[in-house]
Amino acid sequence: MNRLQKLTRFVAATIFIAALAIAAAAQTATVGGKVFLKQPDGTKTLLPGAVIKIYRVDIKQEFTAKSDKNGHYIYAGLPYVGVYTIVISAPGARPQYFSKIKASALPPEMLASYDITMEPGDGSTLTLDQVKSLEAAGGSVPATPANAPPSAEAKKKSDELAAERAKIENENKRAGEINAKLPEIMKAGNEAFAAAEKLTDPAAKIAKYDEALARYDEGLALDAKQPNILRNKTIVLLQRGRDKYNVALKTKDQAGKEAGRADFKAATETAEQSIRVSREIKSSAGAAGAMPGQNEELPMLSTRFDAYRLALQTSAQIDNDAAAKAIEEYINVETDQAKKDKAQSSLGDALFYAGRVDDSIAKFREVLAKNPNNLEAMFGLGIALAAKVMDATKDAPLVVEAHDLLQQFVAKAPDGYPRKQDAIDSVKTLEDILSTSKADKSNKGGNVRRKP
């Protein structure tokens, strides 16, 4: 192993990762009320069989309720956060919709008695895309009384709408089946994850993590565009990778360490996918999906940061440019200054492995200027300077600075601290360089010489 390899490899030391708890389910609300049909004389009668489609448009979710024989409908378990479009259709009625509704902005008692009055019509329904088109045109659903004879053009449109409705009904049936299964699948995955966190036997924990991942993959097979399932899968991959890696370190099992690294790499890829899917859904939702004043992405960006941080610390084979970009993005949106500062050292690591050694040196110096005792930055700067020395022919002060920084790290880092043994090896290598340089200078004079 050459000097540069000695200086740049990461130590195989136990990684202690704080348990990453899966977020608790969001608060839910009950929405319900009665559906009426307006009569020609202005009176209203209760309307059974009305279908109430509730579309959450800030993320991809759909809920369905139907009025009973007394015209009453109810849906329990509607997420209290989010933006909704409600589409109502019924036999003999003109479809109508309400958009840009925020459940959190309405009192619970209003949600529980949300009455709807329908106008007479042809009993057709509306898709979410049709609602968006009507909104864009600034219009409302055209009135079509049930007893009005249809024109040829109206009949053509009615036939087209019927065909579209049949297609949508099939899609809705499929979506309904998926929506009915996904909550149970996600619950099973979360329960397996929670059970794993209570265990102490590594093999038993890993088995439970495997079970959780199997449930999440089952859900993603039904619908790959589920950002919350993807994020939870990322968290479980990180925890499983940690346990695999730690066990392998104790038993000196190289294959086990590689398995841990593979989980960390998979976690970075799954985290990237969760953010990409979330952004695609929000983009398709348009302005109605915007949530000003809130950064809904922060939890996902934070999880992605954790994935890249652990991948970098264990030398997993990842896209280092992507890591630097992801960590910078997280730092830019994180509001907790302590967390921002902590992430800067990981950014220095990412820059270093992306080949941007000078940028990594600048970043580590920035961190140490704020906190001279930051061990990660101390180690990172020492290694980055030492790597730079390997390409230099006259920067003897860099050798000394790198040696001193790593020596400080060794003195301050407790036993078992990640990278401590690597720092010890690097100090010895730098001492060899200094010793050789002094001998060369003493014997031959002139500038210190370096081997490439």
Side-chain angles (χ1 to χ4, degrees), residues 350-416:
L351 293 170
F352 176 77
Y353 277 102
R356 296 164 58 184
V357 178
D358 288 337
D359 289 339
S360 73
I361 289 172
K363 179 56 63 177
F364 287 130
R365 290 194 190 282
E366 177 186 330
V367 175
L368 288 171
K370 291 183 178 180
N371 181 5
N373 294 316
N374 186 304
L375 292 176
E376 289 298 305
M378 192 182 297
F379 174 87
L381 180 56
I383 290 295
L385 289 172
K388 190 173 178 65
V389 165
M390 295 302 154
D391 296 326
T393 58
K394 58 183 178 181
D395 289 333
L398 290 182
V399 182
V400 175
E401 185 180 5
H403 173 272
D404 291 349
L405 279 164
L406 291 170
Q407 201 167 47
Q408 288 180 53
F409 174 87
V410 171
K412 293 182 178 181
D415 291 339

Coordinates of all heavy atoms in Angstrom, one line a residue, residues 350-416:
A350 N -16.9 15.0 1.3 CA -17.5 14.8 -0.1 C -16.6 15.5 -1.1 O -16.3 15.0 -2.2 CB -18.9 15.3 -0.1
L351 N -16.2 16.8 -0.8 CA -15.4 17.5 -1.7 C -14.0 16.9 -1.9 O -13.5 16.8 -3.1 CB -15.2 19.0 -1.2 CG -16.4 19.9 -1.1 CD1 -16.1 21.1 -0.3 CD2 -16.9 20.2 -2.5
F352 N -13.5 16.3 -0.8 CA -12.2 15.6 -0.9 C -12.3 14.4 -1.8 O -11.5 14.2 -2.7 CB -11.7 15.2 0.5 CG -10.5 14.4 0.5 CD1 -9.2 15.1 0.3 CD2 -10.5 13.1 0.7 CE1 -8.1 14.3 0.3 CE2 -9.3 12.3 0.7 CZ -8.1 13.0 0.5
Y353 N -13.3 13.6 -1.6 CA -13.4 12.4 -2.4 C -13.9 12.7 -3.9 O -13.7 11.8 -4.8 CB -14.4 11.4 -1.8 CG -13.7 10.6 -0.7 CD1 -13.8 10.9 0.6 CD2 -12.8 9.6 -1.1 CE1 -13.1 10.2 1.6 CE2 -12.1 8.8 -0.1 CZ -12.3 9.2 1.2 OH -11.6 8.5 2.2
A354 N -14.4 13.9 -4.1 CA -14.8 14.3 -5.4 C -13.6 14.8 -6.2 O -13.7 15.3 -7.3 CB -15.9 15.3 -5.4
G355 N -12.4 14.8 -5.5 CA -11.2 15.3 -6.2 C -11.0 16.8 -6.0 O -10.0 17.4 -6.5
R356 N -11.9 17.5 -5.3 CA -11.8 18.9 -5.1 C -11.0 19.2 -3.7 O -11.5 19.7 -2.8 CB -13.1 19.6 -5.0 CG -13.9 19.4 -6.4 CD -15.4 19.7 -6.2 NE -15.7 21.0 -5.7 CZ -16.9 21.5 -5.5 NH1 -17.9 20.7 -5.7 NH2 -17.1 22.7 -5.0
V357 N -9.7 18.8 -3.8 CA -8.9 18.8 -2.5 C -8.8 20.3 -2.0 O -8.9 20.5 -0.8 CB -7.5 18.2 -2.8 CG1 -6.7 18.3 -1.5 CG2 -7.7 16.8 -3.3
D358 N -8.5 21.2 -2.8 CA -8.4 22.6 -2.3 C -9.7 23.1 -1.7 O -9.7 23.8 -0.7 CB -8.0 23.5 -3.5 CG -6.5 23.3 -3.9 OD1 -5.7 22.8 -3.1 OD2 -6.2 23.7 -5.1
D359 N -10.8 22.8 -2.4 CA -12.1 23.2 -1.8 C -12.4 22.5 -0.4 O -12.9 23.1 0.5 CB -13.2 22.8 -2.8 CG -13.3 23.6 -4.0 OD1 -12.7 24.7 -4.0 OD2 -13.9 23.2 -5.0
S360 N -11.9 21.2 -0.3 CA -12.1 20.5 0.9 C -11.3 21.1 2.0 O -11.7 21.3 3.2 CB -11.8 19.0 0.8 OG -10.4 18.8 0.7
I361 N -10.0 21.5 1.7 CA -9.2 22.2 2.6 C -9.8 23.5 3.1 O -9.8 23.8 4.3 CB -7.8 22.4 2.0 CG1 -7.0 21.1 1.8 CG2 -7.0 23.4 2.9 CD1 -5.7 21.2 1.1
A362 N -10.3 24.3 2.2 CA -11.0 25.5 2.6 C -12.2 25.3 3.5 O -12.4 26.0 4.5 CB -11.4 26.3 1.3
K363 N -12.9 24.2 3.2 CA -14.1 23.9 4.0 C -13.7 23.5 5.4 O -14.3 23.9 6.4 CB -14.9 22.9 3.3 CG -16.2 22.4 4.1 CD -17.1 23.6 4.4 CE -17.7 24.3 3.1 NZ -18.6 25.4 3.4
F364 N -12.7 22.6 5.5 CA -12.3 22.2 6.8 C -11.7 23.3 7.7 O -11.9 23.4 8.9 CB -11.2 21.0 6.7 CG -11.8 19.7 6.3 CD1 -11.2 19.0 5.2 CD2 -12.9 19.2 6.9 CE1 -11.8 17.8 4.8 CE2 -13.4 18.0 6.5 CZ -12.9 17.3 5.4
R365 N -11.0 24.2 7.0 CA -10.4 25.4 7.7 C -11.6 26.3 8.2 O -11.5 26.8 9.3 CB -9.5 26.2 6.8 CG -8.2 25.5 6.5 CD -7.2 26.5 5.9 NE -6.0 25.9 5.3 CZ -5.0 25.5 6.0 NH1 -5.0 25.6 7.4 NH2 -3.9 25.0 5.4
E366 N -12.6 26.4 7.4 CA -13.8 27.2 7.8 C -14.4 26.6 9.1 O -14.8 27.3 10.0 CB -14.8 27.2 6.7 CG -16.1 27.9 7.0 CD -17.1 27.8 5.9 OE1 -16.7 27.7 4.7 OE2 -18.3 27.8 6.2
V367 N -14.5 25.3 9.1 CA -15.1 24.6 10.3 C -14.3 24.8 11.5 O -14.7 25.1 12.6 CB -15.3 23.1 10.0 CG1 -15.8 22.4 11.2 CG2 -16.3 22.9 8.8
L368 N -12.9 24.6 11.4 CA -12.0 24.7 12.5 C -11.9 26.1 13.0 O -11.6 26.4 14.2 CB -10.7 24.2 12.1 CG -10.6 22.6 12.0 CD1 -9.3 22.2 11.4 CD2 -10.8 22.0 13.3
A369 N -12.2 27.1 12.1 CA -12.1 28.5 12.6 C -13.3 28.8 13.6 O -13.1 29.6 14.5 CB -12.3 29.4 11.4
K370 N -14.4 28.1 13.4 CA -15.5 28.2 14.3 C -15.4 27.3 15.5 O -15.8 27.7 16.6 CB -16.8 27.9 13.6 CG -17.3 28.9 12.5 CD -18.6 28.5 11.9 CE -19.1 29.5 10.9 NZ -20.4 29.1 10.3
N371 N -14.8 26.1 15.3 CA -14.7 25.2 16.4 C -13.4 24.4 16.2 O -13.3 23.4 15.5 CB -15.9 24.2 16.3 CG -15.8 23.1 17.4 OD1 -14.9 23.2 18.3 ND2 -16.7 22.2 17.4
P372 N -12.3 24.9 16.9 CA -11.0 24.4 16.8 C -10.9 22.9 17.2 O -9.9 22.2 16.9 CB -10.1 25.3 17.6 CG -10.9 26.5 17.7 CD -12.3 26.2 17.7
N373 N -11.9 22.5 18.0 CA -11.9 21.1 18.6 C -12.7 20.1 17.8 O -13.0 19.0 18.3 CB -12.3 21.1 20.0 CG -11.3 21.9 20.9 OD1 -10.1 21.7 20.8 ND2 -11.8 22.7 21.8
N374 N -13.2 20.5 16.6 CA -14.0 19.6 15.8 C -13.1 18.5 15.3 O -12.3 18.7 14.4 CB -14.7 20.4 14.6 CG -15.6 19.6 13.8 OD1 -15.3 18.5 13.3 ND2 -16.9 20.0 13.7
L375 N -13.3 17.3 15.8 CA -12.4 16.2 15.5 C -12.5 15.8 14.0 O -11.5 15.5 13.4 CB -12.7 15.0 16.4 CG -12.4 15.2 17.9 CD1 -12.9 13.9 18.6 CD2 -10.9 15.4 18.0
E376 N -13.7 15.8 13.5 CA -13.9 15.4 12.1 C -13.2 16.3 11.1 O -12.5 15.9 10.2 CB -15.4 15.3 11.7 CG -16.1 14.1 12.4 CD -15.5 12.7 11.9 OE1 -15.4 12.5 10.7 OE2 -15.1 12.0 12.8
A377 N -13.3 17.6 11.4 CA -12.7 18.6 10.6 C -11.1 18.6 10.7 O -10.4 18.7 9.8 CB -13.2 20.0 10.9
M378 N -10.7 18.3 12.0 CA -9.3 18.2 12.3 C -8.7 17.0 11.5 O -7.6 17.2 10.8 CB -9.1 18.0 13.8 CG -7.7 18.1 14.3 SD -7.6 17.8 16.0 CE -8.7 19.1 16.7
F379 N -9.3 15.9 11.5 CA -8.9 14.7 10.7 C -8.9 15.0 9.2 O -8.0 14.7 8.5 CB -9.7 13.5 11.1 CG -9.4 12.3 10.2 CD1 -8.5 11.4 10.6 CD2 -10.1 12.1 9.0 CE1 -8.2 10.3 9.8 CE2 -9.9 11.0 8.2 CZ -8.9 10.1 8.6
G380 N -10.1 15.5 8.8 CA -10.3 15.8 7.4 C -9.2 16.7 6.8 O -8.7 16.5 5.7
L381 N -8.9 17.8 7.5 CA -7.9 18.8 7.0 C -6.5 18.1 7.0 O -5.8 18.3 6.1 CB -7.9 20.0 7.9 CG -6.9 21.1 7.5 CD1 -7.1 21.5 6.1 CD2 -7.0 22.3 8.5
G382 N -6.2 17.3 8.0 CA -4.9 16.7 8.1 C -4.8 15.7 6.9 O -3.7 15.7 6.2
I383 N -5.8 14.9 6.6 CA -5.7 14.0 5.5 C -5.7 14.8 4.1 O -4.9 14.4 3.2 CB -6.9 13.1 5.5 CG1 -6.8 12.1 6.7 CG2 -7.1 12.3 4.2 CD1 -5.6 11.1 6.6
A384 N -6.5 15.8 4.0 CA -6.5 16.6 2.7 C -5.1 17.3 2.5 O -4.6 17.3 1.4 CB -7.6 17.6 2.8
L385 N -4.6 17.8 3.5 CA -3.2 18.4 3.4 C -2.2 17.4 3.0 O -1.3 17.6 2.2 CB -2.8 19.1 4.7 CG -3.6 20.4 5.0 CD1 -3.2 20.9 6.4 CD2 -3.3 21.5 4.0
A386 N -2.3 16.2 3.7 CA -1.3 15.1 3.4 C -1.5 14.7 2.0 O -0.4 14.4 1.3 CB -1.6 14.0 4.4
A387 N -2.7 14.6 1.5 CA -2.9 14.1 0.1 C -2.3 15.2 -0.9 O -1.7 14.8 -1.9 CB -4.4 14.0 -0.2
K388 N -2.5 16.4 -0.5 CA -1.9 17.5 -1.4 C -0.4 17.4 -1.4 O 0.3 17.7 -2.4 CB -2.4 18.9 -0.8 CG -2.1 20.0 -1.7 CD -2.7 21.3 -1.2 CE -2.4 22.5 -2.1 NZ -3.0 22.4 -3.4
V389 N 0.2 17.1 -0.2 CA 1.7 16.9 -0.2 C 2.2 15.9 -1.2 O 3.3 16.0 -1.8 CB 2.1 16.5 1.3 CG1 3.5 16.0 1.3 CG2 1.9 17.7 2.2
M390 N 1.4 14.8 -1.4 CA 1.8 13.8 -2.3 C 2.0 14.3 -3.7 O 2.8 13.7 -4.5 CB 0.8 12.6 -2.3 CG 0.7 11.9 -0.9 SD 2.3 11.3 -0.4 CE 2.1 11.3 1.3
D391 N 1.3 15.4 -4.1 CA 1.4 15.9 -5.4 C 2.4 17.1 -5.4 O 2.5 17.8 -6.5 CB 0.1 16.3 -5.9 CG -0.8 15.1 -6.1 OD1 -0.3 14.1 -6.4 OD2 -2.1 15.3 -5.8
A392 N 3.0 17.5 -4.3 CA 3.8 18.7 -4.2 C 5.3 18.3 -4.2 O 5.7 17.2 -4.0 CB 3.4 19.4 -2.9
T393 N 6.1 19.3 -4.4 CA 7.5 19.1 -4.4 C 8.3 20.0 -3.5 O 9.5 19.9 -3.3 CB 8.1 19.2 -5.8 OG1 7.8 20.5 -6.3 CG2 7.5 18.2 -6.8
K394 N 7.5 21.0 -2.9 CA 8.2 22.0 -2.1 C 7.4 22.5 -1.0 O 7.9 23.5 -0.3 CB 8.6 23.2 -3.0 CG 7.5 23.8 -3.7 CD 7.9 25.0 -4.6 CE 6.8 25.6 -5.4 NZ 7.2 26.7 -6.3
D395 N 6.3 21.9 -0.7 CA 5.4 22.4 0.4 C 5.7 21.7 1.7 O 4.8 21.1 2.3 CB 3.9 22.3 0.0 CG 3.5 23.3 -1.0 OD1 4.2 24.3 -1.1 OD2 2.6 23.0 -1.8
A396 N 6.9 21.8 2.2 CA 7.3 21.2 3.5 C 6.4 21.7 4.6 O 6.0 20.9 5.5 CB 8.7 21.5 3.8
P397 N 6.0 23.0 4.7 CA 5.1 23.4 5.8 C 3.8 22.6 5.8 O 3.2 22.4 6.9 CB 4.8 24.9 5.5 CG 6.0 25.3 4.7 CD 6.4 24.1 3.9
L398 N 3.3 22.1 4.6 CA 2.0 21.4 4.6 C 2.2 20.0 5.3 O 1.3 19.5 6.0 CB 1.6 21.1 3.2 CG 1.1 22.4 2.4 CD1 0.6 21.9 1.0 CD2 -0.1 23.0 3.1
V399 N 3.4 19.4 5.1 CA 3.7 18.2 5.8 C 3.6 18.3 7.3 O 3.0 17.5 8.0 CB 5.1 17.6 5.4 CG1 5.3 16.3 6.0 CG2 5.2 17.5 3.9
V400 N 4.2 19.4 7.8 CA 4.3 19.7 9.2 C 2.9 19.9 9.7 O 2.4 19.4 10.8 CB 5.2 20.9 9.5 CG1 5.1 21.2 11.0 CG2 6.6 20.5 9.1
E401 N 2.1 20.8 9.0 CA 0.7 21.1 9.4 C -0.1 19.9 9.4 O -0.9 19.6 10.4 CB 0.1 22.2 8.5 CG -1.2 22.6 9.0 CD -1.9 23.7 8.1 OE1 -1.3 24.0 7.0 OE2 -3.0 24.2 8.5
A402 N 0.0 19.0 8.4 CA -0.8 17.8 8.3 C -0.5 16.9 9.5 O -1.3 16.3 10.2 CB -0.6 17.1 7.0
H403 N 0.8 16.7 9.8 CA 1.3 15.9 10.9 C 0.8 16.4 12.2 O 0.2 15.6 13.0 CB 2.8 15.9 10.9 CG 3.4 15.2 12.0 ND1 3.7 15.8 13.2 CD2 3.8 13.9 12.2 CE1 4.2 15.0 14.1 NE2 4.3 13.8 13.5
D404 N 0.9 17.7 12.4 CA 0.4 18.3 13.7 C -1.1 18.1 13.9 O -1.5 17.8 15.0 CB 0.8 19.7 13.8 CG 2.4 19.9 13.9 OD1 3.0 18.9 14.1 OD2 2.9 21.0 13.8
L405 N -1.9 18.3 12.8 CA -3.3 18.2 13.0 C -3.7 16.8 13.3 O -4.5 16.6 14.2 CB -4.0 18.6 11.6 CG -4.2 20.1 11.4 CD1 -4.5 20.4 9.9 CD2 -5.3 20.7 12.3
L406 N -3.1 15.8 12.6 CA -3.5 14.4 12.9 C -3.0 14.0 14.2 O -3.7 13.2 14.9 CB -2.9 13.6 11.7 CG -3.6 13.8 10.4 CD1 -2.8 13.0 9.3 CD2 -5.0 13.3 10.4
Q407 N -1.9 14.5 14.6 CA -1.4 14.2 16.0 C -2.3 14.7 17.1 O -2.6 14.1 18.1 CB 0.0 14.7 16.2 CG 0.8 14.0 17.3 CD 2.3 14.4 17.2 OE1 2.6 15.6 17.1 NE2 3.2 13.4 17.3
Q408 N -2.8 15.9 16.8 CA -3.8 16.5 17.8 C -5.1 15.7 17.8 O -5.7 15.4 18.8 CB -4.2 17.9 17.3 CG -3.1 19.0 17.6 CD -3.6 20.3 17.1 OE1 -4.7 20.8 17.5 NE2 -2.8 21.0 16.3
F409 N -5.5 15.2 16.6 CA -6.7 14.4 16.5 C -6.5 13.1 17.3 O -7.4 12.7 18.1 CB -7.0 14.0 15.0 CG -8.1 13.0 14.8 CD1 -9.4 13.5 14.7 CD2 -7.8 11.7 14.7 CE1 -10.4 12.6 14.5 CE2 -8.8 10.8 14.6 CZ -10.1 11.2 14.4
V410 N -5.3 12.4 17.2 CA -5.1 11.2 17.9 C -5.1 11.5 19.4 O -5.6 10.6 20.2 CB -3.7 10.6 17.5 CG1 -3.3 9.5 18.4 CG2 -3.8 10.2 16.0
A411 N -4.5 12.6 19.8 CA -4.5 12.9 21.3 C -5.9 13.2 21.8 O -6.2 12.8 23.0 CB -3.6 14.1 21.5
K412 N -6.8 13.8 21.1 CA -8.1 14.2 21.6 C -9.2 13.2 21.4 O -10.1 13.1 22.1 CB -8.5 15.5 20.9 CG -7.6 16.7 21.3 CD -8.1 18.0 20.7 CE -7.3 19.2 21.1 NZ -7.7 20.5 20.5
A413 N -9.0 12.3 20.3 CA -10.1 11.4 20.0 C -10.0 10.2 21.0 O -9.0 9.7 21.3 CB -10.0 10.9 18.6
P414 N -11.2 9.8 21.6 CA -11.2 8.7 22.5 C -11.0 7.4 21.8 O -11.1 7.3 20.6 CB -12.6 8.8 23.1 CG -13.4 9.4 22.0 CD -12.5 10.4 21.4
D415 N -10.6 6.4 22.5 CA -10.4 5.0 21.9 C -11.6 4.6 21.3 O -12.7 4.7 21.8 CB -9.9 4.0 23.0 CG -8.5 4.3 23.5 OD1 -7.7 5.1 22.8 OD2 -8.2 3.9 24.6
G416 N -11.5 4.0 20.1 CA -12.7 3.5 19.4 C -13.4 4.5 18.5 O -14.3 4.3 17.8

